[in-house]
Amino acid sequence: MADVDEGRMLSVVVIGAGQAGLSAAYYLAARGLEPWRDFVVLDANDGPGGAWRHRWDSLTFGRAHGIHPLPAGPLDDPDPTEPANRVVPRYYGEYERRFALPVRRPARAVSVRRVEGGFEVEVEVGQARRERLVAASVINATGTWDSPYLPFYRGADRFAGVQLHTHDFRSADAFAGGRVLVVGGGTSALQFVQELHAHGVDTVWSTRRAPQWVDRPFDPDWGLEVERSVSARTRVGLPPLSVSAATGLPLNDLYRPDVAAGVLVSRGPLVSLTADGAVLDGPGPDGAGYPTQGAADAVVDPPRVERLPGRAVPPVPERDRPQGARDEGRARTSTLWEAPIDAVLWATGFRAHIPHLRPLALREAGGGILMGDDGVTVERVPGLFMAGYGASASTLGATRAGRKAAMDALRFTAQGSFAQGQGEQDAAAVASVA
Ligand code: FAD
């Protein structure tokens, strides 16, 4: 395998070889940058596949919400029953080879700093070696998978059962015969509830607010709306919403029957955990009702909603109730009850994985990164581009953002005077884009 010359100023370092990083790398090479000499892709994983190589086996290709092909790399016709954690790594691996992309792994960027003429990227290569690369621009494409988000709930430290996040879920078999609380309002939570239920596990689904079911086609207009609503936040420096918070949950044939059967029915917001139970802010275990379910209210058949074991618990001060319950004014009418559980599955999402960018002090007062209108430019740090961040956190969005970031990086390096001759070559590459 070729390698990179540590002392030489590169045009671009791409960090991350998932959908966003590979798309960026494809366009950098296609526009004339020479792999290894002018740009390199760092990837912390041991092999190809980005986040997909870590997903659980029952998330088959057919069960994924559509995987967009990489540029000039059709996905052919994968077997829908094959786990996505095999299909996608194989696909990315072939893609890297076919286009001779300069992916270095395992190579984790541990810090990115500004230096004269560009950036210094400190890299941990394998287990022990450290290297420093310098580059005129950086495309960050590190996704979210390595930063699972765990919300704080009272009692979580006292809970005696198992707690795990989506990040660590492997198989429903591990919960056979148990009672599992699934926390979260996104599609991962839906799929976990369904899968656990199908494995004979007693499930309790908890959402902070009424599930955001959406009964409309998930067409390109819808996709654009989602991108717009997430971009509206990142353009003012707020943290991005998760895609499902912006999209809602599709009330389609995959989920409708289990909604109607009372399996996919939220039991209300989680208030706290006890040693062996979950205190929920809902109408209780007596089967008399359930919290509002948004658009699914038209579908849920109340008599079929499963009764759950549980007991009423003393009231909790208003300030300790979850935000969702207070927002909806339900705290006054609903009952707190405790459901006995053996495990909690936190399907509570992910955050941008960017600890290595800390030296660049990117966080705004609002908690996010101030992004330009193109969705990839970091307003305060010329030469740094983010692909797969915010609105582009889907395989389609990441593919597009990778292209934009590559074009912007080429334009940026062509304007700079970081290395004699290199700028001219990048200028030629940009000209070929136009
Ligand atoms: P990733 O695929 O996460 O790639 C990032 C890469 O960067 C990884 O290889 C990682 O090892 C590497 N990396 C991280 N930090 C460093 C570092 N410091 N140095 C070097 N390398 C680093 N989207 C869809 O379009 N369809 C779906 O069906 C779908 N299903 C999803 C299911 C789940 C459970 C989740 C959580 C997300 C899903 N998404 C889906 C979103 C999808 O995963 C992403 O949109 C897309 O795959 C992300 O691509 P990416 O390149 O941004 O990040």
Side-chain angles (χ1 to χ4, degrees):
M1 185 179 77
D3 211 339
V4 59
D5 175 358
E6 244 192 281
R8 187 173 193 280
M9 174 71 97
L10 294 152
S11 297
V12 189
V13 167
V14 180
I15 309 178
Q19 189 91 10
L22 293 182
S23 169
Y26 168 84
Y27 284 106
L28 293 175
R31 302 308 184 214
L33 292 205
E34 192 173 311
W36 301 110
R37 195 195 65 176
D38 300 331
F39 79 104
V40 67
V41 185
L42 306 173
D43 193 40
N45 270 330
D46 290 333
W52 290 95
R53 65 185 280 114
H54 303 293
R55 298 210 168 121
W56 51 99
D57 288 347
S58 56
L59 182 61
T60 57
F61 183 75
R63 200 85 172 124
H65 285 264
I67 294 169
H68 193 76
L70 286 161
L75 237 169
D76 297 328
D77 213 359
D79 173 358
T81 65
E82 190 178 2
N85 63 21
R86 289 213 287 270
V87 175
V88 180
R90 190 169 62 234
Y91 170 60
Y92 285 5
E94 282 162 9
Y95 190 84
E96 288 173 13
R97 281 190 293 280
R98 180 169 159 208
F99 294 104
L101 300 178
V103 181
R104 198 143 194 259
R105 63 166 65 93
R108 175 181 298 278
V110 291
S111 70
V112 178
R113 292 169 205 283
R114 305 253 19 188
V115 290
E116 179 72 32
F119 299 87
E120 180 188 82
V121 183
E122 190 180 357
V123 190
E124 195 175 79
V125 186
Q127 294 288 308
R129 221 171 86 225
R130 291 249 166 157
E131 276 178 8
R132 286 169 204 281
L133 301 180
V134 277
S137 66
V138 168
I139 297 177
N140 190 79
T142 48
T144 59
W145 184 256
D146 293 314
S147 289
Y149 172 66
L150 273 175
F152 171 79
Y153 280 98
R154 276 189 312 120
D157 52 342
R158 275 180 291 138
F159 180 63
V162 172
Q163 296 188 52
L164 80 169
H165 187 274
T166 305
H167 181 270
D168 304 308
F169 179 85
R170 290 291 162 269
S171 158
D173 293 337
F175 303 96
R179 296 160 300 187
V180 179
L181 171 74
V182 179
V183 185
T187 50
S188 297
L190 299 183
Q191 296 194 0
F192 287 142
V193 172
Q194 287 187 306
E195 188 170 343
L196 290 164
H197 187 79
H199 278 72
V201 178
D202 284 336
T203 56
V204 182
W205 180 32
S206 167
T207 57
R208 219 149 40 108
R209 301 190 169 79
Q212 307 290 308
W213 294 104
V214 182
D215 195 2
R216 62 168 281 193
F218 277 51
D219 53 19
D221 285 348
W222 164 83
L224 281 176
E225 269 172 45
V226 172
E227 286 197 15
R228 261 185 235 121
S229 68
V230 181
S231 303
R233 290 176 61 86
T234 55
R235 278 204 309 271
V236 293
L238 291 172
L241 283 176
S242 72
V243 170
S244 70
T247 62
L249 302 170
L251 193 52
N252 59 24
D253 293 347
L254 215 51
Y255 305 120
R256 196 185 294 267
D258 277 341
V259 171
V263 174
L264 280 179
V265 166
S266 170
R267 304 293 177 153
L270 176 64
V271 176
S272 59
L273 293 171
T274 63
D276 54 5
V279 177
L280 293 150
D281 192 354
D286 60 1
Y290 44 83
T292 166
Q293 308 288 320
D297 279 335
V299 181
V300 181
D301 177 3
R304 293 178 66 192
V305 174
E306 206 181 333
R307 284 162 164 260
L308 295 176
R311 61 181 184 87
V313 296
V316 164
E318 176 74 4
R319 66 168 192 283
D320 289 341
R321 290 182 180 237
Q323 187 68 43
R326 276 183 272 148
D327 288 351
E328 290 164 18
R330 293 186 22 250
R332 286 177 299 283
T333 53
S334 58
T335 329
L336 294 182
W337 64 288
E338 182 178 342
I341 52 164
D342 306 304
V344 183
L345 180 47
W346 299 101
T348 41
F350 296 82
R351 298 289 184 262
H353 181 65
I354 47 175
H356 51 288
L357 300 183
R358 220 168 270 142
L360 299 173
L362 300 179
R363 295 270 183 212
E364 302 291 327
I369 299 172
L370 186 62
M371 300 296 295
D373 289 344
D374 63 358
V376 298
T377 304
V378 178
E379 288 285 317
R380 294 191 198 284
V381 185
L384 172 67
F385 305 97
M386 306 284 289
Y389 176 75
S392 60
S394 69
T395 51
L396 171 60
T399 309
R400 287 201 205 127
R403 179 180 190 279
K404 272 191 215 158
M407 299 314 174
D408 285 357
L410 284 170
R411 224 167 270 129
F412 179 81
T413 54
Q415 284 159 8
S417 56
F418 60 94
Q420 198 64 40
Q422 184 68 47
E424 287 157 29
Q425 185 193 327
D426 292 342
V430 176
S432 80
V433 175

